Amino acid sequence: MAPLSPNGLWYPRSRSNSPTKPSSPHTKNYPTPPSSGSFETFAIRQIIALTALTALTSPSLHHKLGTHHVLLSASAWAGTIVQTVVGWFGLADRSDEMRAHSSVALWLTLTLGVSGLILTRVPSYGKLSDGGSWDIGWLYGPGIPTKMAWVIQETPAFAICGILFLEAIDELGLAQRVVCLMFLLHYFHRSFVYPLQIRGGKPIPILLCICAIAFCSANGYIQGRAITQFTPHLQSASWAFDPRFILGSFVFLLGRNVNLHSDDVLRNLRSSSDSKEYKIPYGGAFKYLSAANMCGEILEWIGFGIACWNSAGLAFVLATVANLGPRAVATDRWYRRKFDEYAGLNRRALIPFVY
Protein backbone atom coordinates (compact mmCIF):
# COMPACT_ATOMS: atom_id res chain seq x y z
CA MET A 1 0.00 0.00 0.00
CA ALA A 2 1.25 3.47 -0.79
CA PRO A 3 2.29 5.71 2.13
CA LEU A 4 0.08 8.49 3.42
CA SER A 5 1.08 12.13 3.35
CA PRO A 6 0.75 14.23 6.53
CA ASN A 7 -2.62 15.58 5.37
CA GLY A 8 -4.05 12.13 4.73
CA LEU A 9 -3.63 12.03 0.94
CA TRP A 10 -1.95 9.16 -0.84
CA TYR A 11 1.42 9.77 -2.35
CA PRO A 12 1.12 9.12 -6.11
CA ARG A 13 2.57 5.82 -7.21
CA SER A 14 2.79 5.01 -10.89
CA ARG A 15 2.21 1.41 -11.86
CA SER A 16 5.29 1.59 -14.01
CA ASN A 17 7.52 2.57 -11.07
CA SER A 18 8.18 0.95 -7.74
CA PRO A 19 6.83 2.99 -4.84
CA THR A 20 9.30 4.85 -2.68
CA LYS A 21 8.39 6.84 0.36
CA PRO A 22 9.57 10.45 0.20
CA SER A 23 12.13 11.34 2.83
CA SER A 24 10.22 14.50 3.75
CA PRO A 25 6.96 16.26 2.83
CA HIS A 26 8.96 18.68 0.70
CA THR A 27 10.40 16.24 -1.82
CA LYS A 28 9.32 16.43 -5.44
CA ASN A 29 6.86 13.53 -5.10
CA TYR A 30 4.71 15.43 -2.65
CA PRO A 31 1.97 17.59 -4.23
CA THR A 32 2.56 21.26 -3.60
CA PRO A 33 0.22 24.23 -4.09
CA PRO A 34 0.62 26.41 -7.19
CA SER A 35 3.27 29.10 -6.98
CA SER A 36 1.34 31.84 -8.76
CA GLY A 37 -1.21 32.53 -6.05
CA SER A 38 -4.28 31.20 -4.31
CA PHE A 39 -7.64 30.43 -5.86
CA GLU A 40 -8.96 33.76 -4.54
CA THR A 41 -5.99 35.66 -6.00
CA PHE A 42 -6.74 34.29 -9.46
CA ALA A 43 -10.37 35.40 -9.10
CA ILE A 44 -9.43 38.95 -8.12
CA ARG A 45 -7.03 39.22 -11.06
CA GLN A 46 -9.70 38.21 -13.57
CA ILE A 47 -12.32 40.60 -12.19
CA ILE A 48 -9.84 43.48 -12.26
CA ALA A 49 -8.67 42.64 -15.79
CA LEU A 50 -12.19 42.44 -17.25
CA THR A 51 -13.35 45.60 -15.45
CA ALA A 52 -10.28 47.58 -16.49
CA LEU A 53 -10.52 46.53 -20.13
CA THR A 54 -14.23 47.38 -20.25
CA ALA A 55 -13.49 50.86 -18.90
CA LEU A 56 -10.52 51.42 -21.20
CA THR A 57 -12.54 50.59 -24.31
CA SER A 58 -15.36 52.98 -23.43
CA PRO A 59 -15.81 55.75 -26.05
CA SER A 60 -16.97 58.16 -23.33
CA LEU A 61 -13.66 57.74 -21.50
CA HIS A 62 -11.71 58.50 -24.67
CA HIS A 63 -13.86 61.60 -25.22
CA LYS A 64 -12.86 62.84 -21.78
CA LEU A 65 -9.19 62.01 -22.33
CA GLY A 66 -9.14 63.62 -25.76
CA THR A 67 -8.05 60.36 -27.40
CA HIS A 68 -11.28 59.60 -29.21
CA HIS A 69 -9.63 60.25 -32.58
CA VAL A 70 -7.26 57.35 -31.88
CA LEU A 71 -10.24 55.08 -31.28
CA LEU A 72 -11.86 56.25 -34.51
CA SER A 73 -8.65 55.68 -36.48
CA ALA A 74 -8.37 52.13 -35.15
CA SER A 75 -12.02 51.53 -35.98
CA ALA A 76 -11.58 52.81 -39.54
CA TRP A 77 -8.51 50.63 -40.07
CA ALA A 78 -10.35 47.56 -38.81
CA GLY A 79 -13.40 48.44 -40.92
CA THR A 80 -11.29 48.53 -44.07
CA ILE A 81 -9.94 45.05 -43.34
CA VAL A 82 -13.41 43.65 -42.59
CA GLN A 83 -15.01 45.07 -45.72
CA THR A 84 -12.16 43.83 -47.89
CA VAL A 85 -12.38 40.27 -46.54
CA VAL A 86 -16.19 40.21 -46.64
CA GLY A 87 -15.99 41.36 -50.25
CA TRP A 88 -13.62 38.53 -51.11
CA PHE A 89 -16.25 36.04 -49.97
CA GLY A 90 -19.03 37.82 -51.87
CA LEU A 91 -20.90 38.70 -48.66
CA ALA A 92 -21.22 42.45 -49.05
CA ASP A 93 -24.99 42.13 -48.65
CA ARG A 94 -25.91 41.91 -44.96
CA SER A 95 -28.58 39.22 -45.45
CA ASP A 96 -26.10 37.04 -47.35
CA GLU A 97 -23.55 37.41 -44.59
CA MET A 98 -26.10 36.52 -41.91
CA ARG A 99 -26.97 33.29 -43.75
CA ALA A 100 -23.28 32.44 -44.15
CA HIS A 101 -22.73 33.24 -40.48
CA SER A 102 -25.43 30.76 -39.44
CA SER A 103 -23.99 28.07 -41.72
CA VAL A 104 -20.49 28.47 -40.29
CA ALA A 105 -21.89 28.26 -36.73
CA LEU A 106 -23.64 24.99 -37.61
CA TRP A 107 -20.46 23.62 -39.19
CA LEU A 108 -18.51 24.57 -36.07
CA THR A 109 -20.84 22.63 -33.79
CA LEU A 110 -21.01 19.49 -35.93
CA THR A 111 -17.30 19.20 -36.70
CA LEU A 112 -16.21 19.75 -33.11
CA GLY A 113 -18.71 17.19 -31.90
CA VAL A 114 -17.41 14.56 -34.29
CA SER A 115 -13.73 15.37 -33.68
CA GLY A 116 -14.24 15.26 -29.92
CA LEU A 117 -15.51 11.69 -30.16
CA ILE A 118 -12.76 10.63 -32.54
CA LEU A 119 -9.80 12.13 -30.65
CA THR A 120 -10.65 10.31 -27.42
CA ARG A 121 -10.59 6.96 -29.21
CA VAL A 122 -7.54 7.58 -31.36
CA PRO A 123 -4.39 8.70 -29.46
CA SER A 124 -3.69 12.28 -30.43
CA TYR A 125 -1.41 14.43 -28.27
CA GLY A 126 -0.28 14.96 -24.70
CA LYS A 127 -0.43 12.16 -22.16
CA LEU A 128 -3.38 10.55 -23.95
CA SER A 129 -1.01 9.60 -26.79
CA ASP A 130 1.00 7.37 -24.47
CA GLY A 131 0.83 3.68 -25.08
CA GLY A 132 -1.45 3.80 -28.10
CA SER A 133 -1.31 1.21 -30.84
CA TRP A 134 -1.59 3.84 -33.59
CA ASP A 135 1.38 5.40 -35.33
CA ILE A 136 0.73 9.02 -34.35
CA GLY A 137 3.27 10.45 -36.79
CA TRP A 138 1.72 8.59 -39.71
CA LEU A 139 -1.85 9.45 -38.69
CA TYR A 140 -1.50 13.14 -37.81
CA GLY A 141 1.77 14.18 -39.44
CA PRO A 142 4.96 15.47 -37.84
CA GLY A 143 4.82 17.34 -34.56
CA ILE A 144 5.18 21.08 -34.06
CA PRO A 145 6.91 22.35 -30.88
CA THR A 146 4.24 22.86 -28.24
CA LYS A 147 4.74 26.57 -27.59
CA MET A 148 4.85 27.45 -31.27
CA ALA A 149 1.75 25.37 -32.00
CA TRP A 150 -0.31 27.09 -29.30
CA VAL A 151 0.59 30.56 -30.61
CA ILE A 152 -0.14 29.61 -34.22
CA GLN A 153 -3.45 27.88 -33.58
CA GLU A 154 -4.98 30.24 -31.00
CA THR A 155 -4.00 33.64 -32.43
CA PRO A 156 -6.61 33.66 -35.25
CA ALA A 157 -9.49 33.71 -32.75
CA PHE A 158 -8.01 36.71 -30.95
CA ALA A 159 -7.02 38.56 -34.11
CA ILE A 160 -10.29 38.09 -36.03
CA CYS A 161 -12.60 38.85 -33.11
CA GLY A 162 -10.35 41.76 -32.12
CA ILE A 163 -10.61 43.33 -35.58
CA LEU A 164 -14.41 42.96 -35.58
CA PHE A 165 -14.49 44.49 -32.10
CA LEU A 166 -12.37 47.45 -33.19
CA GLU A 167 -14.48 47.99 -36.31
CA ALA A 168 -17.62 48.59 -34.25
CA ILE A 169 -16.09 49.85 -30.99
CA ASP A 170 -17.51 53.36 -31.21
CA GLU A 171 -21.06 51.99 -31.45
CA LEU A 172 -20.91 49.14 -28.93
CA GLY A 173 -22.96 49.16 -25.75
CA LEU A 174 -21.71 48.05 -22.34
CA ALA A 175 -22.96 44.44 -22.65
CA GLN A 176 -21.39 44.06 -26.10
CA ARG A 177 -18.03 45.29 -24.86
CA VAL A 178 -18.09 43.01 -21.83
CA VAL A 179 -18.91 39.77 -23.67
CA CYS A 180 -16.49 40.56 -26.50
CA LEU A 181 -13.75 41.25 -23.96
CA MET A 182 -14.53 37.95 -22.23
CA PHE A 183 -13.69 36.21 -25.50
CA LEU A 184 -10.63 38.34 -26.21
CA LEU A 185 -9.28 38.02 -22.67
CA HIS A 186 -9.40 34.23 -22.91
CA TYR A 187 -7.77 34.05 -26.32
CA PHE A 188 -5.12 36.67 -25.56
CA HIS A 189 -4.03 34.48 -22.67
CA ARG A 190 -4.18 31.29 -24.76
CA SER A 191 -2.25 32.90 -27.64
CA PHE A 192 0.47 34.89 -25.92
CA VAL A 193 0.68 34.05 -22.20
CA TYR A 194 -0.12 30.36 -21.81
CA PRO A 195 2.47 29.20 -24.42
CA LEU A 196 5.24 31.01 -22.53
CA GLN A 197 4.24 29.27 -19.31
CA ILE A 198 4.33 25.74 -20.70
CA ARG A 199 6.96 23.51 -19.14
CA GLY A 200 7.95 20.70 -21.45
CA GLY A 201 5.00 19.31 -23.34
CA LYS A 202 4.92 16.95 -26.29
CA PRO A 203 4.88 18.27 -29.87
CA ILE A 204 1.41 18.81 -31.31
CA PRO A 205 0.79 16.95 -34.60
CA ILE A 206 0.51 19.29 -37.58
CA LEU A 207 -2.90 17.99 -38.64
CA LEU A 208 -4.39 18.80 -35.23
CA CYS A 209 -2.77 22.24 -35.33
CA ILE A 210 -4.34 22.92 -38.75
CA CYS A 211 -7.75 21.82 -37.47
CA ALA A 212 -7.36 24.12 -34.47
CA ILE A 213 -6.47 27.04 -36.75
CA ALA A 214 -9.64 26.41 -38.79
CA PHE A 215 -11.77 26.23 -35.66
CA CYS A 216 -10.30 29.35 -34.04
CA SER A 217 -10.60 31.34 -37.27
CA ALA A 218 -14.24 30.37 -37.76
CA ASN A 219 -15.10 30.87 -34.10
CA GLY A 220 -13.42 34.26 -33.93
CA TYR A 221 -15.58 35.40 -36.83
CA ILE A 222 -18.78 33.78 -35.52
CA GLN A 223 -18.57 35.24 -32.04
CA GLY A 224 -17.18 38.61 -33.07
CA ARG A 225 -19.83 39.23 -35.71
CA ALA A 226 -22.68 37.89 -33.58
CA ILE A 227 -21.76 40.17 -30.68
CA THR A 228 -21.10 43.34 -32.64
CA GLN A 229 -23.72 43.08 -35.40
CA PHE A 230 -26.19 40.20 -35.31
CA THR A 231 -27.64 40.12 -31.76
CA PRO A 232 -30.10 43.01 -31.24
CA HIS A 233 -30.66 42.52 -27.51
CA LEU A 234 -26.92 42.83 -26.82
CA GLN A 235 -27.07 46.31 -28.32
CA SER A 236 -29.69 47.38 -25.77
CA ALA A 237 -28.45 49.30 -22.73
CA SER A 238 -30.85 47.31 -20.54
CA TRP A 239 -29.19 43.97 -21.35
CA ALA A 240 -26.27 44.83 -19.06
CA PHE A 241 -28.74 44.63 -16.15
CA ASP A 242 -30.60 41.54 -17.32
CA PRO A 243 -30.35 38.54 -14.92
CA ARG A 244 -29.10 36.33 -17.77
CA PHE A 245 -26.22 38.66 -18.51
CA ILE A 246 -25.31 38.99 -14.83
CA LEU A 247 -25.50 35.22 -14.24
CA GLY A 248 -23.52 34.49 -17.39
CA SER A 249 -20.78 36.95 -16.42
CA PHE A 250 -20.50 35.35 -12.98
CA VAL A 251 -20.31 31.81 -14.40
CA PHE A 252 -17.72 32.93 -16.96
CA LEU A 253 -15.47 34.42 -14.27
CA LEU A 254 -15.91 31.37 -12.05
CA GLY A 255 -14.98 29.05 -14.90
CA ARG A 256 -12.05 31.19 -15.95
CA ASN A 257 -10.75 31.17 -12.40
CA VAL A 258 -11.03 27.37 -12.18
CA ASN A 259 -9.35 26.99 -15.58
CA LEU A 260 -6.39 29.26 -14.86
CA HIS A 261 -5.84 27.96 -11.34
CA SER A 262 -5.98 24.33 -12.53
CA ASP A 263 -3.56 25.06 -15.39
CA ASP A 264 -1.18 26.52 -12.84
CA VAL A 265 -1.45 23.44 -10.61
CA LEU A 266 -0.68 21.16 -13.58
CA ARG A 267 2.19 23.35 -14.73
CA ASN A 268 3.84 23.31 -11.30
CA LEU A 269 3.77 19.52 -11.15
CA ARG A 270 6.71 19.56 -13.53
CA SER A 271 10.02 20.15 -11.79
CA SER A 272 11.63 21.36 -15.03
CA SER A 273 10.82 22.01 -18.67
CA ASP A 274 12.31 18.66 -19.72
CA SER A 275 10.65 16.60 -16.99
CA LYS A 276 8.93 13.46 -18.30
CA GLU A 277 7.43 12.49 -14.95
CA TYR A 278 3.67 12.43 -14.48
CA LYS A 279 2.14 13.17 -11.09
CA ILE A 280 -1.31 13.41 -9.55
CA PRO A 281 -2.51 17.04 -9.30
CA TYR A 282 -3.88 18.28 -5.97
CA GLY A 283 -5.48 21.53 -4.87
CA GLY A 284 -8.35 23.73 -6.01
CA ALA A 285 -10.94 21.96 -8.13
CA PHE A 286 -8.66 18.93 -8.42
CA LYS A 287 -9.98 17.94 -5.01
CA TYR A 288 -13.14 16.85 -6.79
CA LEU A 289 -12.21 16.43 -10.46
CA SER A 290 -9.66 14.69 -12.65
CA ALA A 291 -10.00 17.25 -15.44
CA ALA A 292 -10.52 20.44 -13.44
CA ASN A 293 -8.90 22.58 -16.14
CA MET A 294 -11.36 21.30 -18.77
CA CYS A 295 -14.31 21.74 -16.42
CA GLY A 296 -13.22 25.35 -15.91
CA GLU A 297 -13.04 26.03 -19.64
CA ILE A 298 -16.48 24.49 -20.22
CA LEU A 299 -17.88 26.66 -17.41
CA GLU A 300 -16.28 29.72 -19.02
CA TRP A 301 -18.09 29.22 -22.29
CA ILE A 302 -21.37 28.21 -20.66
CA GLY A 303 -21.25 31.55 -18.85
CA PHE A 304 -20.31 33.32 -22.07
CA GLY A 305 -23.23 31.63 -23.87
CA ILE A 306 -25.69 32.66 -21.15
CA ALA A 307 -24.44 36.25 -21.18
CA CYS A 308 -24.75 36.43 -24.99
CA TRP A 309 -28.02 34.47 -25.14
CA ASN A 310 -27.72 33.87 -28.88
CA SER A 311 -27.30 30.94 -31.26
CA ALA A 312 -23.59 31.68 -31.83
CA GLY A 313 -22.86 31.39 -28.12
CA LEU A 314 -24.89 28.18 -27.92
CA ALA A 315 -22.95 26.72 -30.85
CA PHE A 316 -19.68 27.46 -29.06
CA VAL A 317 -20.92 25.86 -25.82
CA LEU A 318 -22.04 22.69 -27.63
CA ALA A 319 -18.79 22.46 -29.57
CA THR A 320 -16.74 22.93 -26.39
CA VAL A 321 -18.66 20.30 -24.42
CA ALA A 322 -18.50 17.85 -27.34
CA ASN A 323 -14.74 18.35 -27.63
CA LEU A 324 -13.61 18.60 -24.00
CA GLY A 325 -16.21 16.35 -22.38
CA PRO A 326 -14.96 13.05 -23.89
CA ARG A 327 -11.36 14.15 -23.38
CA ALA A 328 -12.06 14.79 -19.68
CA VAL A 329 -13.46 11.26 -19.35
CA ALA A 330 -10.39 9.87 -21.14
CA THR A 331 -8.13 11.84 -18.77
CA ASP A 332 -9.89 10.41 -15.72
CA ARG A 333 -9.49 6.92 -17.18
CA TRP A 334 -5.80 7.57 -17.82
CA TYR A 335 -5.16 8.61 -14.19
CA ARG A 336 -6.91 5.49 -12.91
CA ARG A 337 -4.76 3.26 -15.12
CA LYS A 338 -1.54 5.10 -14.35
CA PHE A 339 -1.79 5.38 -10.55
CA ASP A 340 -2.87 2.53 -8.23
CA GLU A 341 -4.13 4.87 -5.51
CA TYR A 342 -6.17 7.17 -7.75
CA ALA A 343 -9.49 5.39 -7.26
CA GLY A 344 -9.22 6.10 -3.52
CA LEU A 345 -9.37 9.85 -4.16
CA ASN A 346 -13.04 9.56 -5.21
CA ARG A 347 -12.74 12.15 -7.97
CA ARG A 348 -15.12 12.50 -10.88
CA ALA A 349 -14.06 13.29 -14.44
CA LEU A 350 -15.92 16.52 -15.13
CA ILE A 351 -18.84 17.23 -12.74
CA PRO A 352 -18.15 17.07 -8.98
CA PHE A 353 -19.87 14.12 -7.22
CA VAL A 354 -21.81 13.25 -10.41
CA TYR A 355 -19.75 12.37 -13.51
Side-chain angles (χ1 to χ4, degrees), residues 87-172:
W88 286 346
F89 287 94
L91 300 174
D93 184 78
R94 183 180 176 87
S95 60
D96 289 341
E97 187 183 359
M98 290 182 72
R99 283 193 293 272
H101 182 271
S102 299
S103 299
V104 174
L106 179 61
W107 168 84
L108 182 86
T109 307
L110 294 176
T111 54
L112 261 291
V114 172
S115 65
L117 294 173
I118 292 174
L119 292 180
T120 53
R121 286 161 175 76
V122 180
S124 51
Y125 66 95
K127 58 177 171 283
L128 297 185
S129 65
D130 285 348
S133 59
W134 292 77
D135 184 339
I136 303 304
W138 173 84
L139 188 64
Y140 295 115
I144 299 175
T146 308
K147 295 184 179 183
M148 181 188 300
W150 274 99
V151 173
I152 293 171
Q153 69 191 27
E154 302 293 314
T155 299
F158 176 79
I160 293 172
C161 185
I163 289 172
L164 293 171
F165 176 66
L166 278 177
E167 179 205 21
I169 193 168
D170 200 44
E171 302 172 352
L172 298 180

Side-chain angles (χ1 to χ4, degrees), residues 34-53 185 189 193 197 253 256-257 260-261 264 267:
S35 61
S36 301
S38 66
F39 194 82
E40 294 78 9
T41 302
F42 274 83
I44 293 170
R45 289 175 185 168
Q46 299 315 304
I47 293 171
I48 291 174
L50 186 59
T51 303
L53 287 171
L185 189 62
H189 181 270
V193 180
Q197 296 174 328
L253 288 170
R256 179 153 181 76
N257 190 35
L260 292 178
H261 184 268
D264 199 60
R267 184 166 51 249

Side-chain angles (χ1 to χ4, degrees), residues 191-206:
S191 302
F192 309 115
V193 180
Y194 177 76
L196 299 178
Q197 296 174 328
I198 294 174
R199 296 179 182 178
K202 296 182 178 180
I204 296 179
I206 190 168

